[in-house]
Amino acid sequence: MTVRHLVSNCLVDGSGETCRMMSPVDDCVIAKGRFAGGKEADMVAATADRAALAMSDLPIAARAAILRDLAARLEAGADAIAAAITMENGCPSDQARALQVGSAVGLLRAYADLVDIHSFEETRAGFRGGSTTILRHPVGPVLGIVPWNVPIFLACMKLAPTIAAGCPIVLKPSPESARSMSIFATQLGALDMPDGAIQSLIGGADLGRALVGDARFQKVSFTGSTAAGRQVGAAAAERMARITLELGGKSAAILLDDVDLSAVRDQLFLAMLQNNGQVCGAQSRLLIPATRASEIEDFLAEMWSALNVGNPREAGTDIGPVVSKAAATRIRDAIAADLSAGGSLLSSPDYPADGAFVPPSLIRPSSANADILESELFGPVVTVQRYDSEDDAVRMANAHRYGLSGSVWSGDTERASRLARRLKTGTVGINTKNILDFGSPFGGWRSSGIGRELGPEGIDAYTETTTLLMPSAE
Ligand code: NAD
């Protein structure tokens, strides 16, 4: 497939570096051509700048119509996009349609509904007499930078609230998602929308840096690693651009001592290992009660050894390769380092650790501050730690630089919800794999980011307010 960029509602070839993306599944070329270069970067910024007025004038019903039209096109092309993403990052095909495409369709439709009822203007009684009217104006041209792990959904996390708020957006997806995002660009190009409402340039970090530095973007909305997010935040702050940063995670799943393991097994598997663990909110730190530790560890070890590792295109595969051989080597090295420091491998299915494959690994870490507990590995690796009391579990869950997601697993949802309220993290699921809901805020505490996406808060994140101070009636 040839890489396609969308500039001013036209599909174009890039003028940047040569692109030749190989699949981690079978080493075949899955996308080729050229990444976007400086010429396209300048064109999209100029087009977005010109489109700002038309977008802010666009009636709410027309904004919702764009989102509904895109949802219908994505749904119609779901199989091709899901298959492309399986080849790009190893997402098992059993999971790809719902995780990679169904989620994006649901999100677009949710925003089409949300914008209909959104309050862009609000009047309040003034504390100094009179009243105030708060106007929520579109912030202007937006740059949305997204990673490769759930590329279409994450692109929609940026474009849906942006269009709802009445702003043009330029997407900058990763090289790894060149195939799926080229298909997506074709779908975007077929939409009936103002010129430049949505544009897309595929390329790497250098392209991202150039776009972040362009003063025509009033807002930068970034999803990716904490390391890159720090750089993006600093560059945006230099020119006072507005930012949202959705960054890494190392979320804790707390199993309470009344958990029914068989009842939660399927959801727990997806919470930990969906998309081969390549999910920002993956529950990669399991905290288990010391009173039931041996029984739970035996259950998990049996669950792990039954995992079907292999070709992600085949039905029944639970775990495919990770995104690249380089990522696999990094993850395998991290596992080996902890095991040689005294950690124990509780279970791992018998599968060759080569190429882009990392056998899913359940590890009791070498120490309470082992690097394997601190670093986000972004692969099929889960650590298990024992806790003595609920206070202990809360302390362990909260004592981390990341605070993106978390979960509590219990036979008593009231009890789980009481404990969940003590967790210092962006979202907490109770007996569910879900890390977010389209209608409510999502985002991270501490090193997991700044700002919130989704829900009405997600629309407000693409607005600037002006407050009108109205005099008292004489
Ligand atoms: P990454 O940070 O390497 O890249 C993400 C995107 O940023 C890519 O498009 C990349 O080209 C671009 N980029 C990288 N450096 C840049 C820079 N200095 N300036 C501008 N753009 C730059 O991340 P990745 O490896 O592609 O993705 C995995 C990471 O994303 C994980 O840390 C994961 O937790 C995180 N993530 C977070 C969320 C969330 O909602 N919080 C969702 C998905 C993934």
Side-chain angles (χ1 to χ4, degrees):
M1 157 137 221
T2 305
V3 181
R4 285 276 175 262
H5 313 278
L6 186 68
V7 177
S8 189
N9 292 16
C10 296
L11 290 169
V12 301
D13 293 329
S15 65
E17 283 171 27
T18 302
C19 158
R20 194 176 153 79
M21 298 309 299
M22 322 280 279
S23 170
V25 178
D26 61 5
D27 271 340
C28 286
V29 176
I30 49 173
K32 57 185 183 185
R34 305 271 294 271
F35 290 121
K39 183 177 127 200
E40 293 77 43
D42 184 55
M43 284 167 70
V44 290
T47 307
D49 201 30
R50 281 197 303 274
L53 189 57
M55 286 305 294
S56 84
D57 287 348
L58 199 65
I60 297 295
R63 300 179 196 176
I66 293 172
L67 300 180
R68 288 208 174 89
D69 187 7
L70 181 56
R73 288 172 195 278
L74 261 180
E75 200 166 43
D79 288 340
I81 291 196
I85 296 174
T86 291
M87 293 303 284
E88 287 170 354
N89 67 21
C91 182
S93 56
D94 285 355
Q95 300 167 18
R97 209 187 143 111
L99 172 69
Q100 302 285 358
V101 193
S103 56
V105 171
L107 169 72
L108 290 166
R109 292 192 173 135
Y111 265 105
D113 291 347
L114 282 172
V115 68
D116 245 357
I117 53 168
H118 196 71
S119 160
F120 287 97
E121 186 171 326
E122 179 193 334
T123 297
R124 299 178 188 170
F127 277 90
R128 307 173 77 190
S131 64
T132 64
T133 296
I134 298 131
L135 309 175
R136 294 195 177 87
H137 297 293
V139 69
V142 172
L143 171 64
I145 300 182
V146 289
W148 46 263
N149 62 320
V150 202
I152 305 286
F153 176 67
L154 294 172
C156 290
M157 290 255 297
K158 308 292 180 209
L159 76 81
T162 304
I163 297 297
C167 308
I169 181 165
V170 171
L171 295 168
K172 205 297 286 168
S174 292
E176 290 86 346
S177 54
R179 187 179 178 91
S180 58
M181 289 305 293
S182 293
I183 301 173
F184 190 54
T186 311
Q187 296 181 333
L188 292 173
L191 294 174
D192 180 14
M193 60 182 178
D195 182 24
I198 308 171
Q199 303 179 87
S200 171
L201 295 186
I202 301 169
D206 285 345
L207 176 66
R209 274 187 209 97
L211 291 165
V212 171
D214 193 314
R216 287 169 287 193
F217 294 108
Q218 301 298 324
K219 162 128 193 175
V220 179
S221 184
F222 174 87
T223 298
S225 62
T226 297
R230 232 177 242 122
Q231 293 178 13
V232 169
E238 224 12 79
R239 59 180 187 81
M240 296 301 284
R242 275 54 187 141
I243 52 164
T244 296
L245 300 175
E246 290 286 358
L247 309 177
K250 190 84 178 178
S251 299
I254 302 177
L255 272 57
L256 296 185
D257 58 12
D258 62 356
V259 66
D260 177 344
L261 294 168
S262 312
V264 300
R265 181 186 174 122
D266 292 349
Q267 287 287 301
L268 188 59
F269 160 70
L270 291 169
M272 296 183 293
L273 293 172
Q274 185 167 225
N275 205 23
N276 314 320
Q278 302 172 122
V279 174
C280 56
Q283 311 292 306
S284 53
R285 291 190 292 142
L286 274 188
L287 305 180
I288 64 171
T291 48
R292 285 182 64 191
S294 322
E295 174 210 344
I296 294 177
E297 283 178 4
D298 287 351
F299 178 89
L300 292 169
E302 183 277 317
M303 179 173 163
W304 244 255
S305 57
L307 290 175
N308 192 358
V309 185
N311 187 334
R313 281 178 294 182
E314 285 172 12
T317 296
D318 299 309
I319 303 285
V322 294
V323 68
S324 66
K325 289 179 188 169
T329 304
R330 174 183 55 76
I331 299 165
R332 291 195 299 254
D333 287 353
I335 296 170
D338 193 69
L339 297 183
S340 68
S344 340
L345 186 62
L346 296 179
S347 186
S348 183
D350 190 16
Y351 195 85
D354 59 12
F357 278 91
V358 178
S361 306
L362 183 66
I363 292 175
R364 189 184 297 137
S366 54
S367 71
N369 54 7
D371 191 54
I372 203 163
L373 284 171
E374 293 299 312
S375 307
E376 181 189 41
L377 295 185
F378 223 53
V381 183
V382 175
T383 56
V384 186
Q385 294 169 280
R386 300 177 180 192
Y387 67 82
D388 291 323
S389 64
E390 287 191 14
D391 285 351
D392 202 19
V394 169
R395 184 190 53 73
M396 290 162 81
N398 288 342
H400 205 285
R401 68 194 168 107
Y402 289 126
L404 185 59
S405 177
S407 57
V408 185
W409 306 77
S410 165
D412 177 347
T413 46
E414 285 303 314
R415 181 183 169 204
S417 142
R418 277 197 301 277
L419 187 127
R421 285 160 199 271
R422 301 172 63 195
L423 299 181
K424 296 183 172 164
T425 188
T427 55
V428 185
I430 293 171
N431 294 343
T432 175
K433 69 168 177 54
N434 290 344
I435 59 166
L436 54 80
D437 183 89
F438 309 137
S440 299
F442 171 75
W445 291 42
R446 304 183 294 282
S447 292
S448 288
I450 295 176
R452 292 293 180 265
E453 296 190 296
L454 298 180
E457 293 83 356
I459 300 179
D460 288 342
Y462 295 95
T463 63
E464 286 278 23
T465 61
T466 298
T467 300
L468 304 183
L469 305 167
M470 306 301 286
S472 318
E474 292 302 322

